[in-house]
Amino acid sequence: MPTDTRLSRMLHVLIHMDQFGAPVTSEVISRMLETHPVVVRRTMAGLRDAGYVTSVKGHGGGWALARSLDGVTLRDIHEALGSPTVVAIGLAEDNPLCRIERAVHDALKDVIADAEQRLLARFGEVTLGALSRSVGAAVQPRCDGASRH
Amino acid sequence: MPTDTRLSRMLHVLIHMDQFGAPVTSEVISRMLETHPVVVRRTMAGLRDAGYVTSVKGHGGGWALARSLDGVTLRDIHEALGSPTVVAIGLAEDNPLCRIERAVHDALKDVIADAEQRLLARFGEVTLGALSRSVGAAVQPRCDGASRH
DNA sequence: ACCTCTCGTAACTTTGTATGTTGCGATAAT
DNA sequence: ATTATCGCAACATACAAAGTTACGAGAGGT
């Protein structure tokens, strides 16, 4: 499985938007993330539906924060992305008939669920506002890396 | 990514082998796991290389445990499978130039590493021997579910 | 009105990994 | 010799993330 980088990317762009203040186009964002504008729209759609950002069509349009990042946690963004799978290790069957397989599943399920819960709990403790302030003010709307293009 | 079911499958078959005692062919194992004999050989190859099982070619051959399951943990088997990715959430770049992206990565990396470490630590506490004994003796070499074929 | 910028979305392609399948060679018991 | 078995390469399938193309729909500038 290629690992899912959407959360990382969305956090990245949200903090840029927070620090920049003005609306940003998918085009500009795609350069920040080194990807394609359509990928940006597709991924940000979840954040828009969840009310974290707004999108405006047409000339002068683009993306903007819909609310302060202070109350928004990493977990909120993860959920806005559709709560994708956290742990890559899975069980062979949902409802095994075999006693041995059931025992194996019980043992694994516990540990996997625990790791997932712990990760999500910690995601729930970190706000994007705090993360943004921890970086220090950045004046640019774009990454340092954006100039590579 | 389809979630990785190899660990679950290998635990399942190892405990069957433990309780059955005699060598088992890939063909029989594949029916237990509802998969293909070649998949069994491919996956078990890692366990053989790590010394947990032996394989014997030719008529009357098959797979057998190379040692007691008492000292073998779930983590050992995970490592014998090549230590596949545990957490499906990943970082966008390895070495970001952007300060914001670096901050995001630092925040995520920590939590992801913690979840992974915790999961592996708990895998390291469970031995296959204990798991096998927790099931109670099963006389059959095959799953209850194997008769479905 | 027309043009251009922008998002929305469907459809398709690409990539990476686990999984499934086929074929053939090697080995060993009968 | 025949049969049962593993080893392995090669190819096919499934699935999700990511990348790309194409076109339609708004909205501002001229």
Side-chain angles (χ1 to χ4, degrees):
Chain A
M1 135 215 8
T3 56
D4 186 346
T5 66
R6 286 176 295 176
L7 179 61
S8 162
R9 285 175 156 184
M10 287 303 97
L11 301 179
H12 181 186
V13 70
L14 286 169
I15 295 177
H16 268 291
M17 288 166 66
D18 185 42
Q19 302 204 346
F20 186 54
V24 198
T25 66
S26 306
E27 171 65 28
V28 170
I29 293 173
S30 75
R31 279 199 295 269
M32 296 193 321
L33 303 183
E34 302 190 77
T35 179
H36 200 284
V38 177
V39 175
V40 172
R41 292 189 195 110
R42 189 193 287 155
T43 314
M44 305 260 300
L47 307 195
R48 180 189 56 224
D49 296 347
Y52 299 119
V53 298
T54 57
S55 61
V56 175
K57 287 182 186 175
H59 204 144
W63 299 86
L65 293 180
R67 41 179 288 199
S68 157
L69 293 184
D70 278 328
V72 183
T73 67
L74 306 197
R75 180 169 190 160
D76 293 328
I77 305 303
H78 176 256
E79 284 168 3
L81 291 172
S83 298
T85 308
V86 170
V87 175
I89 296 175
L91 306 179
E93 265 186 284
D94 277 347
N95 230 320
L97 297 175
C98 169
R99 277 188 303 166
I100 292 178
E101 191 173 7
R102 269 206 300 274
V104 168
H105 281 212
D106 288 347
L108 287 180
K109 205 160 42 180
D110 244 32
V111 180
I112 290 171
D114 177 81
E116 173 157 343
Q117 285 313 304
R118 184 178 179 87
L119 183 140
L120 291 178
R122 289 193 55 192
F123 276 1
E125 288 165 1
V126 183
T127 71
L128 283 166
L131 201 47
S132 177
R133 280 188 297 277
S134 81
V135 183
V139 279
Q140 305 162 334
R142 337 197 313 167
C143 286
D144 306 350
S147 53
R148 271 179 267 168
H149 283 249
Chain B
M1 121 217 11
T3 55
D4 186 346
T5 65
R6 286 175 295 176
L7 179 61
S8 161
R9 285 174 158 183
M10 289 302 98
L11 301 180
H12 181 187
V13 71
L14 286 169
I15 295 177
H16 268 291
M17 289 166 67
D18 184 42
Q19 303 205 346
F20 186 55
V24 197
T25 65
S26 306
E27 170 64 27
V28 169
I29 293 173
S30 75
R31 279 199 295 269
M32 295 193 322
L33 303 182
E34 302 190 77
T35 180
H36 200 283
V38 176
V39 175
V40 172
R41 294 192 192 106
R42 188 191 290 155
T43 313
M44 305 261 298
L47 307 195
R48 181 189 55 224
D49 296 347
Y52 298 120
V53 297
T54 57
S55 61
V56 175
K57 288 183 187 175
H59 203 145
W63 299 85
L65 294 179
R67 40 179 288 199
S68 157
L69 292 184
D70 277 328
V72 183
T73 67
L74 307 197
R75 179 170 190 159
D76 292 329
I77 304 304
H78 176 257
E79 285 167 3
L81 292 173
S83 298
T85 308
V86 171
V87 175
I89 296 175
L91 307 179
E93 263 184 286
D94 277 347
N95 231 321
L97 297 175
C98 169
R99 278 188 303 167
I100 292 177
E101 192 173 9
R102 268 205 301 273
V104 168
H105 281 210
D106 288 348
L108 287 181
K109 206 160 42 181
D110 245 33
V111 180
I112 291 170
D114 176 82
E116 174 157 344
Q117 286 313 304
R118 185 179 178 86
L119 182 140
L120 291 178
R122 289 193 55 191
F123 276 180
E125 289 166 2
V126 184
T127 71
L128 282 166
L131 202 48
S132 177
R133 280 188 297 276
S134 81
V135 183
V139 278
Q140 306 163 334
R142 338 196 312 167
C143 286
D144 306 350
S147 54
R148 270 180 267 167
H149 283 249

